[in-house]
Amino acid sequence: MQVFRTVKVFKDLTWEATYAGHKANFLSFLMALPNKIASFPDFMKILKMVEFCKICEGVKNQAFSVLQTNVHNLCGESIGRIQEVVEQDEKGNEQHSLNRRSLTCEYFIDTPSSGALCRNCNVLRRNMSVKLVRFNNILQEESERLAEPSKSKVNKRFLSNEEISERENDQKRRRITAEKRVKYWKFKAAEEKKMKHMAVDDGNDLMVMFKELDKVDEKNPDKEMFPDDPKLSLFWEMQRDVISKKSKKRAIRWHPLIIKTCLALWHRSKQAYEILQDSGFIKLPSTRLLQYHKGKIKQKPGRNIEMLKHMKSLAETQDVSPAGCCGYITFDEMSIQDDVQLRRKGESFEIVGVVNLGDLYEDMKVLQTGKDEVVIATHLLQFMFIGSTGFKFPVCYFPTIEVDPTTLYHQFWNAVYDLAEFGFKVLLAICDGAQANRTFIQCHFDDDAGKENFTTTNIYTGEPLVFMVDPSHNFKKVRNNLLKSTTNGKSPRHFKLDGKEILWSHLKEAYMYDVEYNPIQTFKYLTPQHFEPGSADKMRNYLADDVLGKRMVEVVQNYQVHLLKKGDHTDVLEKTVELLKVTSVLLKNFKNKKPYRSSEDARFVENKQCLQWFERWETQAMSTDGISLKEKGKMFMSYKTMFDVYSMIVGFEVYCNILFKMYPGSSVSACYTNQDKLENFFGEQRAHNGQTTNPTIMQTENSTLGIIQMQEYKRSKGNCTVNRT
């Protein structure tokens, strides 16, 4: 079967090329072709290009035959189709085969480009490769599950002595467990007999109460008992239903809202829930039922389809808007115990507590080191999605040691892909200012990330994706840089602007004056801990916010007035006050609950002015003559801190503009666009396990779903407090 390449020329001298009757696209060619034929050389150029350029062969990999016929992208749109290809072998016989081709296939490929696929078919191939990997992983997991042999039904004659001993020990264990169970239920039966008459009396009293509540006004027979409170009506209806079915407990079906509320209460305090349940004043679901709801989704490192399905169902239950399903992903590491544990899985055990970053990480590690070693995990890498309207969900986690940028790159984009598959868009990525995270951000840019406004392209959806460093960490880093600014020659910082010093001692002296001479302290929350922080105090957000806020500006200005009255030089504190004014503006704009609703918000202008002030300071410090490069670096903040501040200001504005353009009328709250919710999640993980500072992997897995079911997790003693200035 012959396939022709044709060139059609129309009356207006426009032209088009076809292959096998399909129109070709030459937009991606390196050599530009004219839209109209202006001369005979143009026509020959077109003919030559059509004659000698390569033809897109389509996706011929037979491994893709297990996938569905129609190929869809992440948005659900069809992007590929199956095409029958007829080829002749060496003997001249026709051979029929099937390959896949993009619906927008260009058919012709520019000769200098490599490969046998056009740009659109190459996108189709990558999409199908990802789907094939997912399909093979699911198939492998299913086959491993079905292939596990069971020795419990094997004839005793075919077992070894060790296996016979193991079976006898197992039977002995089951017998002992059964005896304990019999004793337990005998005790429960005796208790039930004692409490039976009390339960009958309580039930009768409750039924009398319900009858009183059900009485309606004779003049208004259609009047409801709680017309303005549907939840209270639901509560009383459930109580009546439970009491009426007390002899048929299996027939009780608790409302999901009741289960949700009871789960939140049970997770907060199991003892309080048991006290309320045993009081007899109210009927509640049993702890066994709550335990079932808590453990219905098994936790595992990496991609967890069940958790993603649960995330989607929660979003649908909470009626999260399309704008709410669009937000940012944040990630951070939490210290865990470097401990190895065994967890029962069917009739076997699995090891928990070792590094688990996926097959790609393990394969690359073997190629680099030549060893296939198992390493005990010391940290937990957690990814969390937070929507623009406040919906949040911990997407996945990985036991690891301190993660490197390359591994972080792969796991991040895997998480973005998984979220997109379930209808969640990621427009922003927030991380702290660790060096690995900074390198991870730079991996997405050929040059300086600031020149691209910290914005890259989502490799799966083609939409923009912005990177931003967490504001809370940035303010702590600015405070730490200022803390090092002293006149001591050994100090790493000695801030100067316009020839005037910016020193930490200025703030400390102002605080000492305020405490000593003012009868009422200007800022009552300031303590010596703010100005002489220890290693743990430097991690507290509120200590940095208090020192850099507007109330601290008042304290320093009062001290400046005091120096003026004494006749001292008041311009000594001029640049220190100027720095505090800049940081107080940033704190106000990034800690305020007032949402941003438009790209014309005045706070964007204020943030840009603050950034320009920092840039002017940096330029002046680096252009100072007569001193070494090291001394120039001391006059300004560290490069890392400036990078983080720049990404915070620019990245947040770009994220807001993208969201406003995608979803007109939406809003963004800067005080919630940070890592605070992830830090609160870590705090709940520790609190669920006895206020431990580093729980084990199994402890975090057991408490994760419970924390999600608590609806709102926020630790009163956590490191996420609102600015008090």
Side-chain angles (χ1 to χ4, degrees):
M1 180 179 178
Q2 294 183 343
V3 181
F4 296 97
R5 311 182 189 195
T6 60
V7 177
K8 295 181 181 179
V9 182
F10 302 98
K11 292 182 179 180
D12 57 352
L13 296 182
T14 58
W15 63 278
E16 70 175 22
T18 60
Y19 176 76
H22 299 283
K23 183 179 178 181
N25 185 3
F26 290 89
L27 295 178
S28 62
F29 275 40
L30 297 177
M31 183 184 298
L33 297 177
N35 295 327
K36 284 188 177 183
I37 301 175
S39 60
F40 183 74
D42 288 346
F43 182 63
M44 294 303 298
K45 179 181 178 181
I46 294 171
L47 290 179
K48 185 177 180 180
M49 178 63 70
V50 173
E51 180 181 2
F52 293 104
C53 65
K54 294 191 294 186
I55 299 297
C56 175
E57 299 177 356
V59 184
K60 292 185 176 181
N61 194 342
Q62 295 299 322
F64 295 146
S65 60
V66 297
L67 300 178
Q68 296 180 355
T69 304
N70 295 326
V71 183
H72 299 82
N73 60 6
L74 297 177
C75 301
E77 301 172 349
S78 179
I79 61 173
R81 56 184 170 83
I82 289 182
Q83 182 183 46
E84 184 177 1
V85 179
V86 181
E87 298 178 348
Q88 291 184 351
D89 56 11
E90 298 177 354
K91 298 181 180 180
N93 299 325
E94 292 185 352
Q95 299 291 335
H96 295 263
S97 61
L98 298 177
N99 68 343
R100 298 174 188 259
R101 190 181 292 275
S102 172
L103 295 178
T104 56
C105 178
E106 299 175 353
Y107 288 96
F108 291 101
I109 308 174
D110 198 1
T111 303
S113 63
S114 60
L117 298 178
C118 67
R119 179 181 54 185
N120 296 330
C121 286
N122 202 17
V123 172
L124 174 66
R125 180 188 59 79
R126 290 199 301 267
N127 190 293
M128 295 178 64
S129 298
V130 172
K131 293 183 180 297
L132 182 62
V133 171
R134 305 294 190 197
F135 177 82
N136 290 336
N137 290 340
I138 295 174
L139 192 63
Q140 183 179 359
E141 292 177 0
E142 187 67 18
S143 61
E144 290 177 355
R145 185 181 65 83
L146 296 176
E148 291 181 355
S150 177
K151 298 180 181 179
S152 60
K153 298 182 180 180
V154 178
N155 195 300
K156 196 173 183 179
R157 294 176 298 170
F158 302 102
L159 296 177
S160 62
N161 293 333
E162 295 180 356
E163 292 173 340
I164 293 174
S165 176
E166 182 180 353
R167 177 183 287 187
E168 291 176 350
N169 292 334
D170 184 62
Q171 292 174 351
K172 181 179 179 181
R173 179 185 57 80
R174 292 185 181 183
R175 186 181 69 253
I176 295 174
T177 304
E179 292 175 355
K180 291 181 179 179
R181 192 180 299 115
V182 169
K183 292 181 180 179
Y184 170 78
W185 285 113
K186 284 183 178 179
F187 173 77
K188 291 289 290 185
E191 289 292 322
E192 286 290 335
K193 289 181 180 179
K194 293 180 182 179
M195 299 295 295
K196 187 174 182 180
H197 67 281
M198 296 181 62
V200 172
D201 295 340
D202 292 340
N204 294 333
D205 294 340
L206 287 172
M207 291 304 296
V208 172
M209 293 170 58
F210 288 131
K211 289 179 180 179
E212 292 294 330
L213 288 172
D214 288 339
K215 287 183 179 179
V216 296
D217 193 350
E218 296 179 356
K219 297 181 180 179
N220 300 315
D222 297 331
K223 182 180 178 181
E224 297 181 2
M225 190 63 197
F226 305 104
D228 300 328
D229 197 340
K231 290 186 177 181
L232 191 56
S233 299
L234 172 64
F235 169 75
W236 284 111
E237 289 175 4
M238 283 301 306
Q239 293 296 304
R240 182 195 299 111
D241 185 55
V242 171
I243 293 175
S244 63
K245 297 178 180 178
K246 59 184 177 181
S247 60
K248 301 178 181 179
K249 293 185 178 181
R250 293 183 179 272
I252 299 174
R253 294 294 180 267
W254 292 95
H255 194 277
L257 290 178
I258 301 292
I259 294 291
K260 183 179 179 181
T261 305
C262 291
L263 277 171
L265 178 62
W266 183 61
H267 284 303
R268 284 293 180 188
S269 176
K270 293 179 174 58
Q271 292 181 348
Y273 186 83
E274 291 176 359
I275 292 173
L276 187 61
Q277 190 179 34
D278 296 339
S279 65
F281 296 112
I282 188 174
K283 299 297 181 181
L284 297 175
S286 65
T287 54
R288 183 179 179 182
L289 179 62
L290 298 182
Q291 186 71 35
Y292 167 76
H293 280 278
K294 176 197 171 186
K296 62 182 178 181
I297 300 177
K298 300 299 180 183
Q299 300 295 313
K300 63 178 182 179
R303 189 172 190 255
N304 192 337
I305 296 296
E306 295 300 323
M307 284 290 286
L308 292 170
K309 290 180 179 178
H310 183 56
M311 176 183 179
K312 186 174 180 63
S313 65
L314 280 180
E316 293 173 351
T317 303
Q318 298 176 15
D319 294 329
V320 179
S321 63
C325 293
C326 182
Y328 65 92
I329 189 170
T330 179
F331 51 90
D332 199 0
E333 290 181 319
M334 177 181 70
S335 297
I336 59 173
Q337 292 184 26
D338 49 348
D339 186 22
V340 176
Q341 298 172 299
L342 293 177
R343 177 169 55 194
R344 191 175 186 88
K345 186 178 181 181
E347 296 184 357
S348 60
F349 291 89
E350 63 177 353
I351 299 176
V352 179
V354 298
V355 174
N356 188 346
L357 289 167
D359 296 336
L360 178 62
Y361 172 82
E362 298 296 335
D363 295 340
M364 294 300 296
K365 183 180 176 183
V366 172
L367 290 175
Q368 291 175 353
T369 62
K371 300 178 182 179
D372 188 6
E373 297 179 339
V374 176
V375 182
I376 300 177
T378 59
H379 290 76
L380 185 76
L381 176 62
Q382 179 73 55
F383 287 86
M384 175 178 283
F385 173 81
I386 303 174
S388 60
T389 58
F391 175 77
K392 57 186 179 295
F393 195 89
V395 180
C396 58
Y397 67 93
F398 300 90
T400 178
I401 51 178
E402 293 185 358
V403 68
D404 59 278
T406 305
T407 304
L408 185 59
Y409 181 93
H410 290 288
Q411 302 303 345
F412 171 80
W413 284 109
N414 285 339
V416 172
Y417 179 85
D418 291 338
L419 288 170
E421 274 195 327
F422 286 86
F424 296 94
K425 290 184 179 180
V426 178
L427 298 180
L428 176 67
I430 298 181
C431 56
D432 59 21
Q435 181 58 42
N437 295 336
R438 198 175 295 106
T439 307
F440 159 74
I441 294 175
Q442 288 285 14
C443 288
H444 296 82
F445 304 96
D446 297 331
D447 199 358
D448 184 14
K451 295 181 180 179
E452 302 293 335
N453 291 333
F454 295 89
T455 306
T456 186
T457 302
N458 190 321
I459 60 177
Y460 298 114
T461 63
E463 297 174 343
L465 192 146
V466 188
F467 295 97
M468 171 182 167
V469 179
D470 178 45
S472 298
H473 286 83
N474 285 340
F475 291 122
K476 286 188 291 186
K477 294 188 74 171
V478 172
R479 189 277 315 273
N480 293 340
N481 275 258
L482 182 58
L483 180 63
K484 298 174 183 177
S485 178
T486 64
T487 55
N488 184 2
K490 298 181 180 180
S491 176
R493 300 286 163 218
H494 186 188
F495 289 166
K496 285 186 179 181
L497 178 60
D498 295 334
K500 298 175 182 177
E501 295 177 326
I502 303 175
L503 303 176
W504 179 255
S505 59
H506 293 167
L507 279 66
K508 188 174 181 180
E509 291 170 1
Y511 164 71
M512 297 301 295
Y513 163 76
D514 190 56
V515 172
E516 185 175 354
Y517 291 97
N518 284 340
I520 300 178
Q521 194 173 344
T522 305
F523 187 21
K524 64 179 182 179
Y525 292 112
L526 287 180
T527 63
Q529 188 181 13
H530 285 77
F531 301 95
E532 295 180 359
S535 57
D537 297 330
K538 291 180 181 179
M539 302 300 294
R540 301 294 100 190
N541 291 344
Y542 71 93
L543 293 179
D545 295 349
D546 291 345
V547 170
L548 300 178
K550 64 179 182 180
R551 298 299 301 275
M552 191 65 206
V553 176
E554 298 177 10
V555 174
V556 178
Q557 286 178 336
N558 290 341
Y559 181 57
Q560 196 174 20
V561 173
H562 168 70
L563 295 180
L564 178 63
K565 293 180 180 179
K566 288 178 59 179
D568 295 340
H569 296 286
T570 58
D571 58 350
V572 174
L573 304 176
E574 180 181 350
K575 296 304 173 182
T576 303
V577 173
E578 195 171 324
L579 172 62
L580 292 178
K581 287 182 178 179
V582 171
T583 56
S584 64
V585 171
L586 291 176
L587 269 170
K588 173 180 68 71
N589 293 341
F590 280 94
K591 296 287 185 176
N592 197 341
K593 293 184 179 180
K594 181 181 178 181
Y596 291 73
R597 300 185 183 277
S598 170
S599 57
E600 299 178 356
D601 196 303
R603 287 173 290 181
F604 287 130
V605 178
E606 294 178 352
N607 294 339
K608 287 182 179 179
Q609 291 174 350
C610 294
L611 180 60
Q612 292 171 359
W613 187 88
F614 280 114
E615 290 176 338
R616 184 178 72 86
W617 182 12
E618 181 183 22
T619 303
Q620 186 181 117
M622 294 297 106
S623 60
T624 304
D625 298 329
I627 58 176
S628 63
L629 184 61
K630 181 179 179 180
E631 294 298 324
K632 292 179 181 179
K634 287 185 176 183
M635 296 173 62
F636 185 64
M637 299 184 301
S638 65
Y639 164 77
K640 299 177 182 179
T641 304
M642 185 59 189
F643 179 92
D644 297 347
V645 172
Y646 193 95
S647 71
M648 175 185 71
I649 297 174
V650 175
F652 178 72
E653 182 176 0
V654 174
Y655 165 65
C656 291
N657 292 334
I658 294 173
L659 191 66
F660 296 155
K661 185 177 180 180
M662 281 188 174
Y663 302 98
S666 59
S667 61
V668 179
S669 295
C671 65
Y672 299 129
T673 310
N674 48 42
Q675 284 190 316
D676 284 0
K677 293 185 178 180
L678 182 57
E679 294 289 348
N680 280 324
F681 180 77
F682 287 155
E684 285 292 344
Q685 290 277 21
R686 299 183 182 101
H688 258 65
N689 299 287
Q691 292 292 353
T692 178
T693 55
N694 51 345
T696 64
I697 288 291
M698 289 186 64
Q699 287 176 333
T700 58
E701 290 178 347
N702 293 335
S703 57
T704 295
L705 195 59
I707 296 172
I708 297 172
Q709 292 164 342
M710 282 168 50
Q711 307 169 31
E712 180 65 30
Y713 36 90
K714 184 175 182 180
R715 300 297 301 164
S716 58
K717 297 182 180 180
N719 191 25
C720 308
T721 54
V722 179
N723 182 30
R724 298 179 297 193
T725 61

